[in-house]
Amino acid sequence: MLTFTQWLDESYKFEEDDAAEDSHIYGFKDHKGTNYKVFIEKDRETGHHNVLFGNERNAAGNIGFKKTDDQGPHARKIFSTVHNIMKHHAKENPHVKRYTFISDKGKRGPGTDLPEPPEGSRNKLYRRMTDRLGGHSVSQRYEVHHHIPAEKL
C-alpha cells in the first residue's frame, strides 16, 4: 500500500497551456484520454489563488466534471495531479500564499428552504486531502470551500 506522500506523487503528466499575470491554465489527460483543465487565478479581493478544475465547461461558463461518478477510483489520481499542479505553481510563483477551491455538495433546488444536501465521496476526498496538506475546509449550504497554504504543498 502506498503512503500518503507516495500517493500524492502519483499523477498524470501535465503541462502549462497558457499564462498571464494573474492567471495560469494547465492541462492533462487521464487514463481514458479525457482532457482536463486546471485554472489558477488570483482573487484580487482576498489575495488567494482560486483553483478550478474539471473536464467540461457548463452553460454558465463554470468548469467542472461532466459526470461526478465517471472518475471512480481514478478520482484520487486526478486530485493528485491537481495537487502537483498547485505545487508546481507555488514553486514557480513564490509570492502565492494560499490556494482555494470549491466543491459542490449536490443538486440545488429552486427554493431557499431546502435542507443541506449530504456530502458526497468527492467532497470527503477533498476534505481529507485538504486536512492532510495542512489546510482547512469550510462547509456552506451547497458547497465546501477548501483552503491550502502554499507552503504546505
Side-chain angles (χ1 to χ4, degrees), residues 1 10 31 33 39 48 56 65-66 68 94-95 101 112 124:
M1 189 157 116
E10 276 197 348
H31 66 288
F39 298 83
H48 300 175
E56 81 158 9
F65 291 100
K66 188 171 187 174
T68 58
H95 63 282
F101 64 96
T112 57
K124 289 177 186 174

Side-chain angles (χ1 to χ4, degrees), residues 23-38:
S23 175
H24 298 259
I25 302 170
Y26 297 86
F28 66 94
K29 291 180 188 249
D30 70 4
H31 66 288
K32 294 181 182 176
T34 303
N35 289 314
Y36 288 82
K37 293 289 182 186
V38 178

Side-chain angles (χ1 to χ4, degrees), residues 40 90 129 151:
I40 300 178
M129 293 291 294
E151 75 268 6

